Amino acid sequence: MPHDNVEVLVSFEIIETMTSETASRHATEYMVATRDGAELATDVYLPGNATTHSAILVRTPYDKSSRYTALKHEAEYFRQRGFAFVAQDVRGKFRSSGETVPYEFDVADAYDTAEWIARQPWSNGRIGVSGASYYGFTTWAAVASGHPAIKAAIPQVTGIEMGGTHVASRWRHEVPPFLALNDLLQIWTNNEGYLAEIDWASDRVANIIAQWHEQVGECAGATRLLDMASRQDWYNPYGARHPYHTTNIPILHWQNWYDPGLAPSGFRDWRYFRSQPSQRNLHYLRVGSADHSGYKLEDVGAGDKRNPYVSEQALAEKIETECGEMADFFDEHLNGVPLGQARPRARWHVGHVGWQSSADYPPPSRPLTFHLATTGEHIHGLSLETKDSATTVEWTHDPKDPVPSTTHIEAVWFILAAYPDERALAERSDVLTFRTEPLAENLDFAGQPVLTGQISFSSPSTHVFAKLQDVCPDGTTRPISWGRVVMSESTGTDLHLAMDDNAYRVQQGHRLQLQIQSSDFPHFAIHPGTDESPWLATTRIPSRQGIEIGGPRGAQLTLPVITIAES
């Protein structure tokens, strides 16, 4: 229902206002004071026995008592495993005081909270930190704080540089997501939260933000986003304590393949740490065939009965299995409890196959290269053979008629629960489609598909989106990997687009499909066809794009193919 004090405008409608939910009867709430006088609402869940315990700290902006976070349910599992569980509303959200500003205070507030925990009579002085999405960022902020009691961390479905996209926009270097601004307005306006239907096509972004500020309230994060976009500054909420340079505790990187919003950042973190000789052995990886919300590929088609945000049974199963994995990691690194067998460095799920382990990730692979090929038809070919002659296939990007995203903007976070059939995209003239013949045998890959080639564009710069899809025998077309890049006169025409990581089996009889386009709206901002910022552009001009097919510089798609031993 509309918010009582909000006039419904063309640009947005408030569907629901999210207020604090009922706390758990097992929690004792404390107001933890920070160094500058803010008070952070903090629930403590203790095991039944009267000894000291290692603590698990989770700091969230999404209401520590909500069904959405399910922290009060997770707390019961960790209590049974002998941990104290500490859940906190971050500064400026729900029951906590202070300014509602994302990222700015989380390093210091995490330190102050860890200091408070370490002084409690039930604490043994050892803390593990964990959380998903933004509270995955607060996990990294706690690591960056350097508090000596923090001994291990599990950042989930997040990335260290989450803030760099969220409240800053280096739009000349990265395709700017409306996903981020949508999130800022709904979550970071005040202590409450909102579910809003925002019509991003109705007006300029700056006007939509101004309307929001007038009708709902000032969103400091959105104001910063516009300011940072105009200055093209890099945003660093860690100060001098960036985790890349300060991490010295064991980390379990927890990602899901079907998370185009944050998994790319998380995998950059993993690759960075594994490249550092002094840090690499502190890091472990766990990746599921699931989306940001945890909905699994194997459950596609089962609807809400397998959705942990809706189904009590699905939530209970998720907590039993996933909190079990987390508790094992914290037992090992906080309490010195050895595993029955050595922990694998990387554990990852192959879609349509199952869990695999390896000494590193990506695992050993061989490159399999497909050449983009013209067929004379609307749908082009992906072939293992190349043609000697070169041609250019073109498309027109019209910013007034962008290629539509195939899910609602909110659904990008639960994309498998809403797993789109994308077959209709192939009918658009501004989407280039390349497809193999039906596969004679299963094709397994793990890592990043890479698209290379020569791109031409008539505008000063352009966006190039690539999507890898699985076309089923009945024509159903499912996305399995995404990628996007900004190309400009300064970067040149050489395209090297490393798409998002996945581990997947394209099954015998299915077709592998690649699509190339210049927009994905409203998940991402529309390139205006000019040199203006996509956030602030007042003019929109169609532009021509092209990709070279065949010949020595012809476009190629390379997959990292793996061999899976059949059981």
Side-chain angles (χ1 to χ4, degrees):
M1 64 183 67
H3 187 264
D4 291 343
N5 299 320
V6 176
E7 177 186 358
V8 177
L9 301 178
V10 173
S11 298
F12 65 86
E13 177 183 0
I14 302 296
I15 307 300
E16 183 180 357
T17 302
M18 290 162 277
T19 56
S20 301
E21 296 183 32
T22 304
S24 169
R25 62 185 178 87
H26 294 128
T28 301
E29 186 176 72
Y30 300 87
M31 300 305 292
V32 175
T34 66
R35 65 191 72 180
D36 62 353
E39 292 189 320
L40 306 181
T42 306
D43 285 344
V44 175
Y45 301 77
L46 296 177
N49 54 343
T51 61
T52 59
H53 314 280
S54 296
I56 309 303
L57 170 62
V58 182
R59 306 185 59 255
T60 181
Y62 305 123
D63 182 6
K64 61 184 171 60
S65 300
S66 68
R67 175 63 173 77
Y68 175 77
T69 64
L71 292 179
K72 56 189 176 185
H73 301 280
E74 292 184 12
E76 293 307 307
Y77 182 91
F78 281 102
R79 285 178 67 229
Q80 294 170 15
R81 289 287 297 262
F83 294 95
F85 191 85
V86 182
Q88 184 178 83
D89 289 331
V90 300
R91 179 187 296 240
K93 290 302 301 179
F94 294 96
R95 303 161 189 81
S96 291
S97 70
E99 295 179 82
T100 306
V101 180
Y103 301 101
E104 197 73 8
F105 304 100
D106 284 305
V107 174
D109 287 354
Y111 187 100
D112 293 349
T113 302
E115 183 69 12
W116 180 85
I117 291 171
R119 293 199 308 264
Q120 301 310 302
W122 44 261
S123 170
N124 66 13
R126 297 188 294 273
I127 301 171
V129 285
S130 185
S133 197
Y134 185 92
Y135 49 117
F137 160 76
T138 66
T139 299
W140 280 118
V143 172
S145 79
H147 194 285
I150 296 174
K151 304 294 187 184
I154 308 177
Q156 298 171 274
V157 292
T158 194
I160 287 173
E161 301 295 355
M162 180 179 174
T165 298
H166 207 183
V167 298
S169 177
R170 301 180 72 239
W171 54 267
R172 292 192 184 277
H173 306 278
E174 297 178 343
V175 178
F178 274 155
L179 304 171
L181 180 54
N182 189 70
D183 185 65
L184 285 172
L185 294 175
Q186 295 186 108
I187 298 170
W188 291 101
T189 297
N190 52 41
N191 280 67
E192 299 178 327
Y194 301 93
L195 179 61
E197 188 71 40
I198 302 174
D199 183 359
W200 296 106
S202 65
D203 204 344
R204 292 175 53 208
V205 172
N207 291 342
I208 292 174
I209 293 175
Q211 290 176 8
W212 183 278
H213 288 180
E214 180 181 349
Q215 299 296 329
V216 184
E218 175 79 13
C219 175
T223 300
R224 168 173 277 170
L225 173 63
L226 288 185
D227 177 58
M228 297 287 282
S230 66
R231 294 188 284 116
Q232 290 288 280
D233 285 349
W234 177 57
Y235 177 66
N236 171 26
Y238 304 102
R241 296 201 55 82
H242 193 283
Y244 277 10
H245 311 301
T246 58
T247 298
N248 60 3
I249 61 174
I251 306 287
L252 176 57
H253 299 251
W254 186 297
Q255 297 294 338
N256 289 330
W257 304 124
Y258 296 87
D259 183 9
L262 282 171
S265 178
F267 279 103
R268 282 195 296 271
D269 299 339
W270 165 257
R271 287 181 165 92
Y272 172 82
F273 285 116
R274 288 296 287 167
S275 73
Q276 303 301 304
S278 63
Q279 295 174 300
R280 68 190 320 267
N281 290 328
L282 292 171
H283 296 267
Y284 300 85
L285 180 69
R286 186 266 191 203
V287 197
S289 290
D291 59 24
H292 185 82
S293 74
Y295 198 96
K296 297 178 182 178
L297 179 66
E298 64 198 59
D299 293 332
V300 167
D304 283 347
K305 70 179 182 180
R306 297 302 306 151
N307 189 337
Y309 287 109
V310 178
S311 165
E312 295 299 326
Q313 179 179 345
L315 175 62
E317 293 175 10
K318 177 182 171 72
I319 288 174
E320 186 69 24
T321 57
E322 296 188 1
C323 290
E325 291 183 52
M326 295 164 62
D328 288 347
F329 185 81
F330 285 132
D331 250 345
E332 181 181 6
H333 295 290
L334 300 183
N335 300 328
V337 178
L339 295 178
Q341 56 186 9
R343 177 178 298 279
R345 182 64 56 186
R347 183 169 175 263
W348 37 280
H349 191 274
V350 179
H352 308 304
V353 180
W355 287 99
Q356 311 291 314
S357 296
S358 55
D360 207 342
Y361 174 85
S365 64
R366 62 178 178 85
L368 180 63
T369 298
F370 294 92
H371 300 272
L372 281 60
T374 56
T375 62
E377 305 291 336
H378 180 62
I379 295 179
H380 302 287
L382 276 179
S383 173
L384 297 177
E385 298 180 355
T386 185
K387 292 183 178 180
D388 293 334
S389 59
T391 188
T392 298
V393 179
E394 294 188 329
W395 72 100
T396 297
H397 165 59
D398 184 353
K400 296 180 181 179
D401 182 24
V403 178
S405 304
T406 54
T407 67
H408 186 274
I409 193 168
E410 296 288 345
V412 74
W413 305 114
F414 48 90
I415 200 163
L416 290 180
Y419 208 18
D421 180 354
E422 298 187 328
R423 73 178 83 193
L425 287 178
E427 300 173 5
R428 291 186 62 107
S429 61
D430 54 356
V431 177
L432 299 188
T433 301
F434 301 86
R435 183 184 296 171
T436 67
E437 294 298 319
L439 299 181
E441 57 186 18
N442 294 333
L443 174 60
D444 300 323
F445 73 90
Q448 291 183 283
V450 177
L451 175 63
T452 57
Q454 295 292 314
I455 295 288
S456 60
F457 41 95
S458 63
S459 49
S461 64
T462 192
H463 296 163
V464 177
F465 292 82
K467 188 180 296 182
L468 195 64
Q469 297 154 317
D470 182 348
V471 181
C472 303
D474 67 357
T476 301
T477 302
R478 304 291 201 187
I480 52 179
S481 182
W482 300 258
R484 63 213 63 87
V485 68
V486 178
M487 300 194 71
S488 66
E489 294 169 342
S490 62
T491 61
T493 60
D494 288 335
L495 173 67
H496 186 279
L497 177 49
M499 300 168 68
D500 296 351
D501 284 90
N502 204 336
Y504 189 82
R505 168 169 288 177
V506 187
Q507 299 171 84
Q508 180 182 6
H510 290 223
R511 299 170 186 253
L512 188 69
Q513 180 165 290
L514 172 72
Q515 290 191 323
I516 302 172
Q517 56 203 59
S518 293
S519 51
D520 183 0
F521 178 78
H523 289 182
F524 293 88
I526 304 168
H527 192 285
T530 70
D531 201 32
E532 293 180 278
S533 164
W535 297 111
L536 304 171
T538 57
T539 303
R540 295 181 177 182
I541 300 174
S543 57
R544 294 290 293 170
Q545 334 288 329
I547 187 166
E548 193 168 317
I549 306 296
R553 304 194 309 171
Q556 300 177 350
L557 170 69
T558 302
L559 294 183
V561 173
I562 60 173
T563 300
I564 297 176
E566 299 291 345
S567 59

